[in-house]
Amino acid sequence: MPDPSVDTLNTTDIAQRTINTIRGLAMDAVQVAESGHPGMPMGAAPMAYVLWTRHLTHNPEDPSWPDRDRFILSAGHGSMLLYALLHLTGYDLSMEAIKNFRQWNSPTPGHPENHLTPGVEVTTGPLGQGFANGVGMALAERYLATTFNTDDLSLVDHHTYGIVSDGDLMEGVSSEAASLAGHQGLGKLVYLYDDNEISIDGSTDLAFTEDVGQRFAAYDWHVQRVDDGTDLDAIDDALTRAKAETDRPSLITVSTHIGHGSPNKQDTAAAHGKPLGPDEVRRTKRNLGWPDDKSFYVPNEVYEHMGTARADGAAAQAAWEERRETYEARHPERAAMFDRWMEGTLPEGWDEGLPTFDVGDELATRAASGQTLDRLVPQTEGVLIGGSADLTGSNKTKADGQRIQQADQPGGSYVHFGVREHAMAGAANGIALHGGVRPYVGTFLIFSDYLRPSLRLAALSEAPVTYVFTHDSIGLGEDGPTHQPVEHLAMLRATPNMTVIRPADGPEVVQAWRAALHRTDGPTALVLTRQDLPVLERPNTGAEGLRRGAYVLSDDSGTPDVILIGTGSEVQHALGAAARLREDDGIDVRVVSMPSWELFETQPESYRHEVLPPSVTLRVSVEAGATTGWARYVGPDGRALGLDQFGASAPGSTNMKKYGFTAERVADAAREVTTQAA
């Protein structure tokens, strides 16, 4: 490989001038911000340039064009690489935004965020997440193509590209996702691996010495290597070969130098996560043959060169729109369905005829969810893509007649993710953010621990993913505390922009699914039981109150002495306690079902006070989980009944009795708060 300490390429060449422009913008933005990661953009600029100018189909004038190629910077710490490309190719990202890198209210945050910056497809930064997102995007593309393309017309025909780093490939989520992608044969997934052999601690040899190419070959990926990360033609050829490989995802390892051109910091950890320093920036620019007296320098010819993306993208989109018009003329109903899917609009009548349940019937809320999906999947025309992490029968996530998605059956809308919770959730984010389909994924609530980073990013990314979390408490029984959630509801509720719904019975489950699918600006967690629960008697309004987060389930006079608040499997015990208190103690009791704090908090204050009158301070909550957070609803005069310790291996009904989740225990707590207030 040539010595990269001096850039030997002709700096009058437009390709090299563009590459050095990207490097200069990265150095300058990080230096001005006094924080950031300059080294990765400097080393990866050549491969990014080749991808964006010779292969990526996109339209800066319309970042949401449905058939654009998707680009993911999984190495999100190198965000200035992406911002430079977006700025130069004409996206709505100004030079002022570049200069305000990492500043308050700027569209150039430290790590890319899809909802802030035009052209950013997914939120990345936590390593490995973008890798998994791309797998989901490739799955979505293939499913949509199979659903809508005809022999003579293609509405969906694009690639998912990404740049991944050493750190991405060290993270376990990328291994899970790579294994899944290889199994699925996602031939339109192409990743460039920025192999610069440096991480924060130093050389990757400290901890990462495997043969990555052999590992990915074992995953059944198409693997190539480019030994010189500045060889534009070699990178171009590798990308061309990758696109020609239609049966396997592709990994192209590109050997690069972090901090390329920096005389003193190239190939060192010092170039990774902090500014080079003013003097080193000047030295590096001189070394690259770049003006060292200019900051944020973009030659006019670079703008002109990269700006051709606008005309090229407009022409590509115009050709697609012409195909779209022809498609509509030949297949009007399917064209209308395609438009609905891409707009995120569910078909008229999608939630009609959902299951009903009779008072007194007993079934687990997971079973009610499965019955609801049996109706929802066909009634939503196939827009729902579901899956489970090897717990399909337990989660009840596969609808009757729902076909399985496989390499040889790409039209299936159900994915067996295997025991890969983290990759499943990361892929679900990619499916959701791709557009055109709505993902739901299932596992036990306890294993939300395994997918927590992706769940958090779904909330941050405003991705409408629905999580089906079953086996929600100590009520699951004999599997014991390793499988019994305690702190998990509190964790989910503590996550901003996450809606958590824990239904009390079958009718509430139906309403929970309605609420989840109406939501388009973030994820929803449905928290469901393994054990059977009775279908509750409720007011004439039925369970529709669930969509307001909390509602009065039982009330004596409208002016209660005490309010009992329950969620999920414990609402039945609140009702049982109310009956005892009325009959034995003459206490006026209101029972409130509160399946979702988040939905309740969005309601007008008048409604919240109607359900929980501020004048009634004697309150008891009951929930088979940590009591964290319940103080806001029970107040200083109330009591939160919950579980602030691990459970035990015993039948579920035994656990519930031993840990005090009974009507009598709830009634006793109500008596205690009433007595204390007297």
Side-chain angles (χ1 to χ4, degrees), residues 17 21 25 28 95 290-291 294-301:
R17 286 178 68 77
T21 297
L25 291 174
D28 291 337
M95 179 58 79
W290 208 240
K294 296 181 179 180
S295 294
F296 299 100
Y297 174 54
V298 182
N300 287 334
E301 62 269 25

Side-chain angles (χ1 to χ4, degrees), residues 284-298:
T284 302
K285 289 179 178 179
R286 286 196 298 270
N287 202 32
L288 295 172
W290 208 240
D292 65 349
D293 59 343
K294 296 181 179 180
S295 294
F296 299 100
Y297 174 54
V298 182

Side-chain angles (χ1 to χ4, degrees), residues 49 74 78 109-110 115 155 165 176 215 279 341 344 359 388 394 397 406 422 442 491 572 574 583 600 625:
Y49 168 81
S74 190
H115 57 288
L155 289 183
S165 65
E176 292 183 22
R215 172 156 68 99
D279 292 340
W341 285 29
V359 173
S388 170
S394 295
T397 40
Q406 294 286 14
H422 202 173
M491 176 273 289
Q572 61 177 318
E583 182 176 347
F600 187 61

Side-chain angles (χ1 to χ4, degrees), residues 578-600:
R580 285 173 167 77
L581 292 168
R582 291 163 182 154
E583 182 176 347
D584 299 342
D585 303 85
I587 296 176
D588 195 333
V589 184
R590 169 176 292 184
V591 177
V592 171
S593 177
M594 185 179 274
S596 177
W597 295 8
E598 296 78 19
L599 293 177
F600 187 61

Side-chain angles (χ1 to χ4, degrees), residues 459-505:
L460 177 59
S461 302
E462 302 177 357
V465 178
T466 301
Y467 302 98
V468 180
F469 290 138
T470 68
H471 296 58
D472 69 340
S473 74
I474 56 170
L476 68 86
E478 293 86 348
D479 277 345
T482 59
H483 283 55
Q484 293 166 356
V486 173
E487 71 278 21
H488 296 73
L489 283 166
M491 176 273 289
L492 291 171
R493 289 171 177 152
T495 305
N497 198 37
M498 169 65 68
T499 295
V500 183
I501 307 177
R502 188 172 185 244
D505 63 359

Side-chain angles (χ1 to χ4, degrees), residues 10-252:
N10 184 355
T11 54
T12 63
D13 174 77
I14 189 59
Q16 189 59 31
R17 286 178 68 77
T18 304
I19 290 166
N20 283 340
T21 297
I22 295 169
R23 290 168 172 159
L25 291 174
M27 285 188 284
D28 291 337
V30 170
Q31 193 60 50
V32 169
E34 298 184 343
S35 70
H37 301 76
M40 183 273 175
M42 294 167 69
M47 74 174 84
Y49 168 81
V50 172
L51 175 61
W52 277 63
T53 59
R54 304 185 191 180
H55 296 274
L56 191 72
T57 301
H58 62 117
N59 185 4
E61 299 291 342
D62 186 359
S64 62
W65 168 37
D67 204 33
R68 69 193 181 279
D69 287 336
R70 271 56 169 183
F71 173 75
I72 296 171
L73 183 65
S74 190
H77 57 277
S79 56
M80 266 310 305
L81 174 66
L82 179 53
Y83 300 149
L85 290 163
L86 293 171
H87 172 72
L88 294 175
T89 54
Y91 284 81
D92 185 17
L93 193 66
S94 67
M95 179 58 79
E96 181 182 4
I98 299 294
K99 292 179 178 179
N100 283 304
F101 179 53
R102 288 179 163 237
Q103 303 307 303
W104 177 260
N105 209 30
S106 170
T108 51
H111 295 83
E113 298 179 42
N114 63 292
H115 57 288
L116 292 181
T117 313
V120 173
E121 300 284 1
V122 297
T123 297
T124 58
L127 291 170
Q129 293 296 325
F131 190 111
N133 296 162
V135 174
M137 287 192 160
L139 275 168
E141 190 276 345
R142 188 174 71 181
Y143 177 67
L144 289 167
T146 305
T147 302
F148 290 104
N149 291 352
T150 63
D151 291 339
D152 57 337
L153 287 170
S154 294
L155 289 183
V156 183
D157 184 9
H158 55 263
H159 284 79
T160 300
Y161 296 103
I163 294 180
V164 304
S165 65
D166 293 301
D168 284 299
L169 300 189
M170 292 186 211
E171 289 285 358
V173 64
S174 64
S175 297
E176 292 183 22
S179 175
L180 176 64
H183 167 77
Q184 285 285 346
L186 297 176
K188 288 188 175 179
L189 179 65
V190 179
Y191 285 159
L192 291 158
Y193 164 30
D194 176 30
D195 183 17
N196 63 37
E197 299 182 354
I198 294 293
S199 63
I200 292 175
D201 279 353
S203 169
T204 53
D205 285 345
L206 291 169
F208 189 56
T209 54
E210 69 202 43
D211 188 318
V212 170
Q214 288 188 12
R215 172 156 68 99
F216 274 74
Y219 290 144
D220 203 18
W221 283 54
H222 176 238
V223 178
Q224 302 176 77
R225 182 175 185 86
V226 176
D227 288 326
D228 180 358
T230 66
D231 189 336
L232 307 187
D233 289 338
I235 296 169
D236 183 28
D237 290 344
L239 284 165
T240 299
R241 287 191 294 270
K243 291 194 299 184
E245 173 57 64
T246 59
D247 295 330
R248 293 180 293 170
S250 288
L251 182 76
I252 303 169

Side-chain angles (χ1 to χ4, degrees), residues 425-447:
N429 290 349
I431 291 170
L433 295 173
H434 178 281
V437 282
R438 288 288 299 267
Y440 68 91
V441 292
T443 188
F444 292 167
L445 178 58
I446 192 76
F447 298 139

